[in-house]
Amino acid sequence: MRAPRGLSRLLLAARGWGRLGAMARYSTEQRGRPNSPDYRLYFKNADGKYISPFHDIPLLAASKEDKEIPAKRAKTTGSEIATEEPLNPIKQDIKKGKLRYVANIFPHKGYIWNYGALPQTWEDPNHTDTITGCCGDNDPIDVCEIGSKVRSSGEIVQVKVLGVLALVDEGETDWKIIAISVDDPEAHKIHDIDDVKKHKPGYLEATVDWFRLYKVPDDKPENHFAFNGEFKDKDFAAEIIKSTHEHWKALLHKKADGGTINCTNVLVSGSPFCCSEEDARSIVQSAPVHVNGDSVSPEVIIKVFWRCIIKS
């Protein structure tokens, strides 16, 4: 059986320093029914104001960037950040009208890390990456958090950046940041990509295999990588993050064409897309009321039942 794609996605605040308590200031509010097309997970800051996790959560934790961007400061199941919806809630990923699932890539079951994204980053689909030769995938930059704790959907986690993998996914640049939560028991001894190789042998090789094969069950070809699948170190990763952050700033100030990306935000000073707290509240309240209980796709039920018959 496949796990729904993305509901385990995190929002991850980059960098390995700063007060961990700062991450606890965010909360979430569910709308709609879990594991259904209308499910949404909206975000609030410490003041209880609805915000966009894509645009309103600072990229850098406990740094001067918190004061600069935004100026008014305050990833299993599958959902994705709804980049095309106002306030960008987490939602169940859908493709061709059906709930989307992550295949089990033997010997793995679902994601093999906590899978998330860095806020205030954007891989510009109109920008050709000089390294990969491909344009961006029109999403925030993805993160594979390799800590021992299984995180909850929508959890904000402060991480230490370790390295990066250059995935080329269906002709698009799709960088994968490797990071570890700063509160992980092994964080004190893992500082760069070579430390991952030393303390978690085989993990990076498994990561390459996972990304190479994860679309094959959907009758798609294997993915490819720049640098022949070699991981680059934390300094290289930091430059990639900086670049995607600059693209995001251009997006939020109408200096780049975001196409269908929804830039509605509450806290980004000077952004023409900034809305009022009342408007943000109306956006959330217009979504379906939260209903307890999971709604499981009939397709999934049939697959489970069929496999039970096979095993018997």
Side-chain angles (χ1 to χ4, degrees), residues 5 9 115 123 137 141-144 163-167 169 174-178 207 211 214 225 231 237:
R5 185 176 186 269
R9 284 178 74 96
Y115 194 42
E123 296 191 73
D137 70 349
I141 196 168
D142 295 323
V143 182
C144 301
V164 65
L165 177 68
L167 173 66
D169 189 344
D174 193 3
W175 293 100
K176 305 298 180 183
I177 299 295
I178 306 300
T207 295
F211 280 118
Y214 83 103
F225 306 89
F231 287 82

Side-chain angles (χ1 to χ4, degrees), residues 275-289:
C275 74
S276 67
E277 295 174 30
E278 292 75 18
D279 288 341
R281 189 180 306 110
S282 296
I283 289 169
V284 177
Q285 292 177 347
S286 67
V289 175

Side-chain angles (χ1 to χ4, degrees), residues 96-144:
K96 296 182 179 179
K98 296 182 179 180
L99 303 184
R100 193 177 182 191
Y101 297 89
V102 172
N104 291 331
I105 305 298
F106 182 83
H108 313 294
K109 291 181 171 60
Y111 292 122
I112 63 175
W113 355 253
N114 290 305
Y115 194 42
L118 293 182
Q120 296 190 341
T121 62
W122 179 53
E123 296 191 73
D124 187 348
N126 298 309
H127 172 75
T128 301
D129 192 287
T130 56
I131 296 169
T132 65
C134 299
C135 293
D137 70 349
N138 206 31
D139 282 328
I141 196 168
D142 295 323
V143 182
C144 301

